[in-house]
Amino acid sequence: KNIIFIKHQNKVGEVIKLIDIFCMNSKFEGLGLIMLEAMYFSKPIIAPSISAIPEVVKNEINGLIVRSDDVYAYSNAMLKFISEDYRRQISVNSKYILNKNFNFNIMIEKTINLYKK
């Protein structure tokens, strides 16, 4: 009764504002722009340790990293977020990491420096 599955949405930000936790279960993910969007709205993240996700989600800092396709690992991660204090701290960290590591100006600067090499 507390989980709602929704279809494709064009106004992703409006949906993210309504959620408590962003939970991703992809088999492959590039950078994972949707996780950056969740971080923008200060949402804690549960995601698998695949592709570039561990570069975005730091386990126990701005989210929880779990084994891909492991229902029990996802369930246990969700149980940790029952604590409103824990969820709040992870949310604060999420916004901080976004601003520190994925800030538009910083990303442009890093890209330019990469091409200069």
Side-chain angles (χ1 to χ4, degrees):
K1 70 179 182 181
N2 294 324
I3 298 174
I4 301 169
F5 292 94
I6 57 173
K7 295 180 180 179
H8 174 80
Q9 299 291 311
N10 290 323
K11 297 181 180 183
V12 176
E14 296 301 314
V15 174
I16 293 175
K17 286 179 192 176
L18 300 174
I19 66 173
D20 294 318
I21 303 163
F22 180 80
C23 188
M24 175 183 278
N25 188 24
S26 296
K27 294 196 183 292
F28 175 81
E29 199 63 45
L31 172 64
L33 181 59
I34 187 65
M35 289 182 297
L36 299 181
E37 293 169 328
M39 291 166 69
Y40 176 81
F41 290 102
S42 299
K43 301 302 177 178
I45 300 168
I46 300 171
S49 181
I50 58 165
S51 307
I53 290 176
E55 294 177 41
V56 177
V57 180
K58 304 299 180 194
N59 194 44
E60 300 273 348
I61 297 173
N62 69 319
L64 296 171
I65 295 289
V66 296
R67 289 179 308 278
S68 182
D69 289 332
D70 185 335
V71 174
Y72 295 106
Y74 277 92
S75 298
N76 288 331
M78 288 180 199
L79 288 172
K80 281 188 172 185
F81 284 124
I82 287 175
S83 165
E84 194 171 324
D85 290 336
Y86 183 70
R87 202 168 55 240
R88 189 178 308 113
Q89 181 57 48
I90 295 291
S91 296
V92 168
N93 293 342
S94 211
K95 188 76 170 216
Y96 173 78
I97 288 172
L98 175 70
N99 290 329
K100 180 180 174 226
N101 298 337
F102 300 99
N103 170 300
F104 178 76
N105 293 326
I106 291 171
M107 291 184 80
I108 292 295
E109 184 179 320
K110 285 181 179 180
T111 302
I112 290 170
N113 287 336
L114 183 66
Y115 281 110
K116 286 181 180 178
K117 293 179 181 181

